[in-house]
């Protein structure tokens, strides 16, 4: 059991439970959302779809009773929030028929009306879903845990975020659910899952690109990526962006890359499905970039058998507009002052 943190005494901000989806398209591209510059969280940054857990996702212990409530990572509430937030922010609906096990089809006009009604709290996601099809339910089983992140204690706004992978079905897929390709309703077409902004409420653009392209844009300062997004894109890119590039890869090759990524996600000690990470600065390089260690799960996880990533570190320059010049390196190389070594 976790040891409760005395937030009043320590003057720390309790982290808010949230979740995010690393959504992999049928072309093995990754969905990122460009947040508006007036956003209270991650302004102007490119982020994975996601957000805070709400009561409609399921009840958590109130913060003032048990601030360490986020210790139950990968609870059903996290999964339901991830799918609801994806729908609200991008219009992509991940719901299946309980009878057939297939993803359901809802036309674009109804999806647009639904996502705004849910965001405005005129209806819950589950209520709206049942109105579309009584046997529909969020496709929570297809989410694959891929690290849990906790915001450093010195930040005024903190989150405890469960990350998930989700693989969009390939076109005309008739496979049984296998983790890389799922059955879908006959009417569900690829163009029905094209993402869109939420009208500028929080998101100004929703876009698919290969993970390697997002990383390239971050390195050239065209987009802002926070360390968790950069690291996870870096890991995903190692498998999904291998040569030949996506446009030249067959469907069988794309499936093989997904399977290799899945094997990686379930590997390690602990596996990446269970890593819990609170980034912390262990060194500042001569170029003013911070070296973030990823091995600690943080104060809230004391007394719980949770560990982070011990072999990699993230380099980042913190600027007023957000994190810049982010990169991923082997920890042994950085501790040895070899700042040019790269993964």
């Amino acid at each position: 059991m976790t040891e409760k943190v005395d937030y009043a005494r320590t003057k720390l901000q309790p982290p808010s439970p949230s979740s995010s989806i690393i959504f992999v398209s049928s072309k093995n591209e990754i969905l990122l959302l460009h947040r508006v510059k007036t956003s209270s969280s991650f302004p102007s940054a490119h982020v994975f779809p996601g957000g805070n857990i709400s009561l409609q996702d399921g009840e958590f212990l109130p913060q003032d009773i048990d601030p360490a409530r986020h210790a139950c990572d990968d609870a059903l509430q996290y999964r339901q929030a991830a799918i609801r937030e994806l729908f609200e922010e991008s219009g992509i609906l991940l719901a299946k028929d309980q009878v057939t096990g297939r993803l359901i089809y809802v036309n674009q006009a109804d999806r647009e009306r639904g996502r705004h009604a849910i965001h405005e709290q005129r209806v819950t996601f589950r209520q709206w879903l049942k109105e579309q099809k009584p046997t529909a339910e969020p496709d929570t089983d297809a989410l694959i845990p891929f690290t849990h992140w906790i915001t450093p204690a010195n930040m005024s706004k903190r989150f405890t975020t469960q990350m998930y992978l989700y693989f969009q079905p390939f076109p005309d897929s008739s496979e049984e659910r296998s983790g890389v390709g799922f059955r879908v309703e006959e009417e569900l077409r690829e163009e029905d899952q094209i993402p869109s902004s939420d009208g500028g409420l929080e998101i100004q653009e929703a876009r698919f690109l290969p993970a390697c392209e997002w990383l390239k844009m971050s390195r050239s300062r065209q987009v802002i990526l926070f360390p968790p997004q950069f690291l996870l894109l870096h890991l995903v890119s190692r498998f999904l962006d291998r040569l030949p590039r996506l446009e030249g890869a067959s469907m069988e090759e794309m499936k093989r890359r997904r399977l290799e990524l899945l094997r990686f996600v379930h590997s390690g000690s602990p596996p990446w499905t269970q890593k819990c990470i609170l980034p912390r600065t262990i060194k500042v390089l001569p170029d003013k970039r911070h070296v973030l260690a990823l091995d600690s799960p943080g104060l809230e996880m004391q007394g719980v058998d949770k560990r982070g990533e011990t072999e990699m570190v993230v380099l980042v320059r913190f600027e007023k507009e957000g994190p810049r010049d982010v990169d991923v390196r082997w920890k042994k190389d950085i501790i040895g002052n070899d700042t040019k070594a790269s993964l």
Side-chain angles (χ1 to χ4, degrees), residues 132-145:
Q132 312 312 305
K133 193 164 192 174
T135 56
E137 64 178 10
D139 192 22
T140 54
D141 291 342
L143 295 175
I144 303 160

Side-chain angles (χ1 to χ4, degrees), residues 179-193:
V180 296
F182 318 135
R183 293 183 300 170
V184 299
E185 288 192 346
E186 185 177 354
E187 303 97 326
L188 185 60
R189 302 174 298 273
E190 184 178 4
E191 56 266 28
D192 290 314
Q193 295 287 53

Side-chain angles (χ1 to χ4, degrees), residues 189-241:
R189 302 174 298 273
E190 184 178 4
E191 56 266 28
D192 290 314
Q193 295 287 53
I194 295 176
S196 61
S197 77
D198 61 0
L201 298 174
E202 298 179 12
I203 307 301
Q204 64 184 58
E205 184 184 36
R207 185 181 180 190
F208 281 113
L209 281 176
C212 61
E213 288 300 315
W214 287 122
L215 295 171
K216 180 180 178 181
M217 292 171 70
S218 171
R219 291 186 175 105
S220 62
R221 295 194 164 212
Q222 297 178 65
V223 303
I224 295 173
L225 294 179
F226 277 75
Q229 282 78 13
F230 191 98
L231 174 65
L232 296 178
L233 284 169
H234 171 86
L235 296 175
V236 167
S237 181
R238 289 166 58 182
F239 298 93
L240 299 187
D241 296 329

Side-chain angles (χ1 to χ4, degrees), residues 21-25 83 86 93-95 103 139 142-144 164-169 177 182:
I21 292 182
I22 304 164
F23 189 93
V24 181
S25 77
I83 288 178
L86 173 71
L93 176 63
L94 302 182
L103 293 178
D139 192 22
L143 295 175
I144 303 160
Y164 294 100
L165 269 176
Y166 188 98
F167 293 105
Q168 183 181 31
R177 185 177 297 272
F182 318 135

Side-chain angles (χ1 to χ4, degrees), residues 237-295:
S237 181
R238 289 166 58 182
F239 298 93
L240 299 187
D241 296 329
R242 289 179 177 172
L243 293 174
R245 295 300 182 191
L246 297 178
E247 60 270 15
S250 67
M251 184 176 295
E252 288 304 314
E253 171 64 18
M254 290 196 291
K255 289 179 182 179
R256 187 181 67 80
R257 294 179 187 186
R258 286 185 176 192
L259 287 171
E260 289 178 350
L261 174 57
L262 278 174
R263 283 195 286 268
F264 169 77
V265 168
H266 287 92
S267 71
S269 180
W272 287 88
T273 55
Q274 299 177 19
K275 290 184 191 291
C276 185
I277 299 171
L278 186 148
R280 58 190 180 89
T281 298
I282 58 171
K283 184 176 183 178
V284 179
L285 300 177
D287 64 4
K288 307 302 182 184
R289 282 188 297 175
H290 287 237
V291 179
L292 302 183
L294 310 172
D295 55 348

